[in-house]
Amino acid sequence: MRKLLLLFLIAVPSFGYGGSPQAIAEQMDRDLLEVTVDRLHELYRDHRYTVTQVVQWHLDRIARYNGIYRAVQTVNDKAALEEAAREDAEARQPAFKPGMLWGVPIVTKANTSIKGLVTTDGWRGYMIPGHELIAPRDATIVSKLKGAGAIIIGVTNMPDFAASDTNRSTAFGRTGNAYDVRFSPGGSSGGTVTSVTSNFAVLGNGTDTGNSIRMPVATSNLVGIFPTRGLVSIAGIAPLDWNLDNTGPIARNVADAAVALTVMAGEDPLDAATTGSQSKAQAGPYTQYLKAGSLKGKRFGVPAFILDGGNTPFQGACPNATAEQIAQAKKDAFLPLKPETRAMFMKAVEEIRAAGATVLIQPDILPDSFVDAAAHICTLPYIREGTEKFLAEFGPAEYHSPADYEKAVGHPLPAVIIGGNQTGMSSSPDIQQANLENDPSAEGTFLGPRRKVQQMYDDELDRLHLDGFLYPAIQMPPPDETMPQDGHLSDGPHSDTAWVNMLGVPAISIPAGFYDSGLPFGIEISTRKWHDGDLIGWAFDYESKTHHRKPPVLVEGGMLPKAVRAME
């Protein structure tokens, strides 16, 4: 592929660098590896490279390494190069004003609709020849990203329907961790995570129903933002559970994530949760919160239940569940913190304290009673409604509902996205599906329990005069997927952070060092609703004081003999 790039550089010479094609290619590697949005725009302003050259450089990396890491399911090369050429021509116009992401190569997750492409959602059932889920329009965030000048160069792999903590799909197979391909990058945004940390793209989007932005970025030395639910529209994203789903940016640094969030945020008539968001949220652009010293004087509490291993059953326990079923679900969800992860977290706590913040660790901060209450926020009766809404607006001409799909293909959609007795707790009875807006049981099943837990969360912040909560973004190191873990093939790694989705409060996950194995570790901070800018400021200050980001060393063939990371 390097030969193809050299031929391309001969045909389209760089504006700013002279020398042989080989020298130019080497200079591009130095300039574009780990490039930030601001630096890329500086290179464009100085006429060092065209957008076409930058896009081609990223496509070259995908061609070179994707066969091993399997991060990009669909390479959007033709359309990306056409858009790059259009932007190059646009830049020559006298009145040209670039958007915030102009000329920035990005990737999007496979559940995010792009007009004319198949929205696989990681599932081969949406790829059946003649019955593909070809998007009739862009998801709202895709329209926003394109409108800001971003160029989509690929669609990333994800597990079927985003319903896994690892990244194996029936659509494209397994994605490996860029720091050691044998290990998991986490799910369900593992394809975007491996793509961005490998410099296949500058940034991308992830989606998160229980931890699927924040946990995967922690495996791969990246920044991921779970925005306040309603700050960013999820319209056009195939749902797993629309009452828990969210989308946000994945980037190599906090500043790039702030730029992307600024572009993605906004009200959308297709997503009712965004109504009025602009009057509630801290004002953008979110780059204004990138200030040194933001941690000084702040107070954070460490939730006791996370250190103890307490966790909420995914999608909650519905009122019709028996006490025995609830107890078993809580037992199944129990996820103790690994000793090596606890040690890494305590190092990060000391770094936060060294930046001038107070970190409280006490057994009464969000104890098990918080988890017990959160376990009763049940979303299971409303799963089908989310899929129905998605297919109605973003399904192909052949099917705009689950019933249409079954008629067209000859078998129903899986229960995981339309409800039934295979969702939630395995021992729970079949749960009748309903529309949230007119379900008389919604208050007792979902809305009331959520308000109660939100009040508990806010009261704890008030009681201890806290700015936010600090905790590990992941309960364990990334597991080796080439051998059984605890007697079976790993379905992780896992985290204790699904309660964030249940409340819709904002959270950010950031790099916090490396295990002795060379695999990354990350921490997470959450805060009050609509205070996304504060999170960005705290994360930026921590990042600027610690500099934990180090790129991986990729391989072009075989399996890594041991975990390796770049130290320079």
Side-chain angles (χ1 to χ4, degrees), residues 344-367:
M344 291 295 299
F345 177 63
M346 294 311 298
K347 290 180 182 179
V349 167
E350 291 309 311
E351 290 173 330
I352 296 283
R353 287 171 172 164
T358 297
V359 180
L360 302 179
I361 303 177
Q362 1 183 121
D364 63 337
I365 300 175
L366 292 186

Side-chain angles (χ1 to χ4, degrees), residues 240-253:
L240 173 56
D241 185 331
W242 66 289
N243 285 299
L244 302 176
D245 293 340
N246 205 352
T247 186
I250 291 173
R252 292 189 290 267
N253 62 77

Side-chain angles (χ1 to χ4, degrees), residues 483-568:
M483 60 181 65
Q485 307 288 313
D486 299 323
H488 60 88
L489 188 64
S490 171
D491 58 358
H494 306 292
S495 76
D496 283 343
T497 59
W499 55 276
V500 170
N501 302 73
M502 291 174 159
L503 300 182
V505 296
I508 190 167
S509 181
I510 49 180
F514 291 84
Y515 293 99
D516 291 342
S517 65
L519 294 168
F521 166 76
I523 56 173
E524 184 172 329
I525 309 174
S526 67
T527 190
R528 299 179 190 272
K529 282 187 175 181
W530 310 112
H531 284 252
D532 304 70
D534 290 339
L535 281 180
I536 287 168
W538 303 332
F540 176 77
D541 193 27
Y542 178 77
E543 176 187 76
S544 64
K545 287 178 169 62
T546 57
H547 302 286
H548 284 308
R549 168 69 191 171
K550 298 290 189 300
V553 176
L554 303 184
V555 296
E556 297 182 51
M559 302 287 279
L560 286 176
K562 60 181 179 179
V564 179
R565 63 181 171 94
M567 296 304 298
E568 299 296 331

Side-chain angles (χ1 to χ4, degrees), residues 198-217:
S198 299
N199 284 264
F200 293 174
V202 175
L203 52 86
N205 88 298
T207 63
D208 191 319
T209 310
N211 61 21
S212 291
I213 290 174
R214 297 158 291 137
M215 180 270 285
V217 301

